[in-house]
Amino acid sequence: MQARVVQIAGIREVKALRARHQGMHVFVELTVGVDAHLSVEESHRLTEEVEKALIGFEQIAHVHVHVEPADPPQKLTSI
């Protein structure tokens, strides 16, 4: 499921993911990291793309997406 989400252009990471079964359906809550400089409108568009990518996949019936700024990339240091 995470791999499906991070393939969406603009989603940098999945910070948290929670899924629960209710009967035959799965309900998903996730927090995604995006560029901190995106507008509210752009961030909202990404949440809609996440919902479209997941609803219907593996019996997912509902998706709730929370957006946060992505963590900065880790810099590698040489020894």
Side-chain angles (χ1 to χ4, degrees):
M1 188 179 327
Q2 278 184 284
R4 196 172 185 95
V5 173
V6 295
Q7 288 179 354
I8 298 169
I11 302 293
R12 291 193 181 169
E13 62 184 327
V14 174
K15 293 182 162 217
L17 174 64
R18 181 178 152 186
R20 66 186 191 285
H21 285 272
Q22 186 171 354
M24 294 182 61
H25 300 288
V26 177
F27 295 81
V28 175
E29 298 172 21
L30 69 155
T31 302
V32 296
V34 301
D35 185 315
H37 298 99
L38 289 181
S39 69
V40 172
E41 184 176 353
E42 292 168 320
S43 296
H44 180 72
R45 181 187 56 76
L46 287 174
T47 66
E48 289 178 332
E49 287 188 40
V50 170
E51 290 171 1
K52 287 178 188 174
L54 294 180
I55 290 179
F57 174 71
E58 301 288 333
Q59 287 90 29
I60 295 173
H62 177 79
V63 177
H64 177 84
V65 185
H66 177 75
V67 177
E68 292 183 355
D71 292 331
Q74 298 290 329
K75 292 187 178 181
L76 298 176
T77 56
S78 25
I79 300 176

